[in-house]
Amino acid sequence: MTQLQFKDAFWCKEFTFHTGYEVLVQRLLEGKKMCKDVEDLLKQRAQAEERYGKELVQIARKAGGQTEINTLKEAFEMLKQQIESVGNSHIQLAVMLKEELKGIEEFRERQKEQRKKYESAMERMQKSKLSHYKKTMESKKSYEQKCREADEAEQSFERISATGNPKQTEKSQNKAKQCRDAANEAENVYKQNIEQLDKVRTEWEQEHIKTCEVFQLQECDRITILRNSLWVHCNQLSLQCVKDDEMYEEVRVSLENCVVESDIDYFIKKKMTGTQPPDAIGYESYYSRERSSSPSPSPACGMIKRFSGLLHGSSKNNTETATPSAPPLERTEGVYASIFVNEKAEITSSQDYRVLYDYTAQNVDELDISEGDTVVVIAENDDGWWTAERNGQRGFVPGSYLEKL
């Protein structure tokens, strides 16, 4: 069977999301917790063995028996000698357990330092990618605005030139030329930002692949170290008493069934977030999009209507403006920006979130929320609308209006 790889299974199609990477980091933190759990087990067992061994030695030395004679005395002295030997063997076992514990602690610290190095690099790359993405989107918005202004100025020039007023015509012509030059300049800036963003995206993608490879290697090493540690621990305990060997044999059998590849495969199949990296952000011409726009109704019009309630400047009744502090969704002239509607929600475990902005339900399946409220998120849908519950009522709310507690 082909070994599954972290680098092939933890991407996210949304350009600004890093869900796959976050899943991997969470897994490594869980692995760190497991290392500490094994350390606690060995530490407590070593303390118990040391106490037991010292008590046996003390019992043997205080046993007395000096009044006895002949063979019974020899037998009793042999008993005391063996009890003390058993006690010393348990003390020695405690020492070996402490050495094993020290090895796991050092291994965990080494992994921690290595993980911090790659986490820092990934954090820098993610911030750079998001920063360039924001800058690119702003330049795109400016480019579109300049194009609209240039179109309006040219149309105004055509109207004025038809009147035959030379002075007004010349003034209008100069304004149209200035607007067109500004639009061309904005277009160049937009294209440059697109190129820079794609370069940053490529660097981030390479860093993500390298980090995934390191994280998978760390996970393989961790499972191997802990499996071997538990194996050695069971062998040490078995040597103390042959009678206990049957019980520890059950543990050894379970450890024989512990396979690194099997654990990795199970984790990936259960937690995988995607098999492809996000697509590159391509250049979109303002005019080609204008010509391809169609006013015909779309099957997703109901969902677009829901998204339109969150656009900056729109309102439920076209009279109330949206809250300025709430993050708006992108809007283009005549039509809304392309919105991917995924009817299949991503089910998550319930978590508490704080409401950042007020939102009034505009459909029967939505939920009213107010700033400062605490809601329970039931599912995080890919279309940006999450299923939440508050005071026993459930409904859709915009995910960008919530903050995880």
Side-chain angles (χ1 to χ4, degrees):
M1 183 179 66
T2 304
Q3 172 68 50
L4 298 177
Q5 301 292 325
F6 283 3
K7 64 181 180 180
D8 298 325
F10 292 98
W11 298 99
C12 185
K13 294 297 293 181
E14 176 59 43
F15 190 82
T16 58
F17 287 0
H18 307 108
T19 306
Y21 170 74
E22 292 168 359
V23 169
L24 287 180
V25 172
Q26 180 61 34
R27 177 57 186 162
L28 295 187
L29 292 177
E30 292 169 354
K32 175 184 175 183
K33 176 63 167 57
M34 178 59 183
C35 286
K36 289 186 176 181
D37 290 342
V38 174
E39 292 170 19
D40 290 340
L41 183 147
L42 295 179
K43 181 179 180 180
Q44 294 180 33
R45 183 60 190 256
Q47 292 173 346
E49 292 291 342
E50 185 175 16
R51 287 195 303 268
Y52 179 59
K54 289 182 178 180
E55 289 179 0
L56 288 180
V57 171
Q58 187 177 13
I59 290 171
R61 292 177 179 178
K62 292 182 178 180
Q66 289 80 3
T67 58
E68 191 53 67
I69 60 173
N70 211 359
T71 58
L72 181 58
K73 181 177 181 179
E74 291 178 1
F76 189 68
E77 289 296 324
M78 179 60 69
L79 175 62
K80 292 195 296 180
Q81 180 181 345
Q82 293 300 324
I83 291 176
E84 185 172 351
S85 296
V86 170
N88 288 329
S89 69
H90 278 274
I91 293 174
Q92 184 60 36
L93 173 61
V95 173
M96 290 189 294
L97 292 175
K98 290 178 180 179
E99 287 296 322
E100 187 70 22
L101 169 63
K102 183 179 179 181
I104 297 177
E105 290 176 341
E106 292 175 349
F107 169 76
R108 175 170 54 81
E109 288 300 318
R110 287 197 303 271
Q111 281 209 330
K112 177 182 177 182
E113 291 301 317
Q114 186 183 34
R115 187 175 68 252
K116 285 173 60 178
K117 173 184 174 182
Y118 283 90
E119 285 179 348
S120 298
M122 279 297 294
E123 183 178 357
R124 288 194 300 270
M125 290 304 303
Q126 289 172 355
K127 287 182 177 179
S128 177
K129 185 184 75 166
L130 293 177
S131 175
H132 280 82
Y133 176 79
K134 181 179 179 181
K135 182 179 179 181
T136 301
M137 292 301 101
E138 289 175 350
S139 66
K140 177 184 178 182
K141 182 178 180 181
S142 175
Y143 159 61
E144 293 173 346
Q145 179 63 32
K146 296 296 183 183
C147 287
R148 285 194 293 268
E149 292 175 356
D151 288 349
E152 292 173 357
E154 289 172 352
Q155 292 172 4
S156 177
F157 166 68
E158 291 176 358
R159 290 193 303 268
I160 294 175
S161 61
T163 62
N165 188 327
K167 185 176 182 180
Q168 291 294 329
T169 299
E170 181 181 0
K171 182 178 179 181
S172 178
Q173 184 180 17
N174 291 336
K175 181 179 180 182
K177 183 178 182 304
Q178 291 175 357
C179 290
R180 180 53 59 188
D181 291 342
N184 292 335
E185 182 179 354
E187 181 181 18
N188 292 332
V189 172
Y190 176 35
K191 289 180 178 179
Q192 291 173 2
N193 287 336
I194 284 290
E195 294 174 358
Q196 184 65 27
L197 177 60
D198 193 62
K199 180 181 178 181
V200 172
R201 180 195 63 82
T202 301
E203 294 174 353
W204 163 80
E205 185 175 318
Q206 293 173 351
E207 186 69 28
H208 179 83
I209 292 174
K210 182 170 63 175
T211 301
C212 285
E213 291 174 341
V214 172
F215 282 3
Q216 180 162 351
L217 181 60
Q218 277 201 336
E219 189 68 356
C220 291
D221 291 344
R222 183 189 66 82
I223 295 174
T224 300
I225 288 293
L226 294 185
R227 181 190 64 178
N228 293 342
S229 177
L230 294 176
W231 192 296
V232 170
H233 178 56
C234 290
N235 287 339
Q236 292 170 337
L237 298 178
S238 295
L239 292 175
Q240 295 301 312
C241 183
V242 176
K243 294 181 181 179
D244 294 339
D245 192 62
E246 293 181 358
M247 292 183 289
Y248 292 119
E249 182 63 21
E250 296 179 1
V251 181
R252 282 193 291 269
V253 169
S254 67
L255 290 175
E256 289 175 348
N257 295 327
C258 178
V259 180
V260 174
E261 293 78 9
S262 177
D263 285 3
I264 294 294
D265 289 352
Y266 175 81
F267 169 62
I268 291 179
K269 289 177 180 178
K270 188 174 182 180
K271 297 289 188 177
M272 66 186 302
T273 59
T275 58
Q276 296 293 331
D279 296 332
I281 303 299
Y283 165 72
E284 296 178 8
S285 173
Y286 169 83
Y287 296 102
S288 62
R289 185 183 58 196
E290 277 272 313
R291 290 192 294 269
S292 63
S293 299
S294 173
S296 58
S298 168
C301 61
M303 185 59 66
I304 293 178
K305 178 181 178 182
R306 175 179 294 159
F307 271 84
S308 66
L310 299 180
L311 293 175
H312 184 65
S314 66
S315 66
K316 181 177 179 181
N317 298 316
N318 294 325
T319 56
E320 300 173 1
T321 57
T323 305
S325 59
L329 295 180
E330 191 173 292
R331 186 183 192 277
T332 61
E333 185 69 13
V335 294
Y336 293 107
S338 179
I339 300 174
F340 176 72
V341 180
N342 188 351
E343 295 296 334
K344 183 176 179 182
E346 179 183 353
I347 304 302
T348 64
S349 57
S350 298
Q351 299 185 58
D352 290 339
Y353 284 73
R354 181 189 299 108
V355 177
L356 300 177
Y357 315 101
D358 295 338
Y359 176 71
T360 302
Q362 301 184 30
N363 295 282
V364 294
D365 57 349
E366 297 177 1
L367 182 67
D368 288 333
I369 55 176
S370 301
E371 180 181 356
D373 286 349
T374 299
V375 299
V376 177
V377 172
I378 307 301
E380 299 180 8
N381 305 299
D382 292 340
D383 59 11
W385 286 84
W386 295 0
T387 304
E389 179 175 315
R390 179 177 64 83
N391 298 331
Q393 295 183 341
R394 287 191 182 185
F396 289 110
V397 297
S400 59
Y401 281 39
L402 305 180
E403 177 185 59
K404 186 177 179 181
L405 294 177

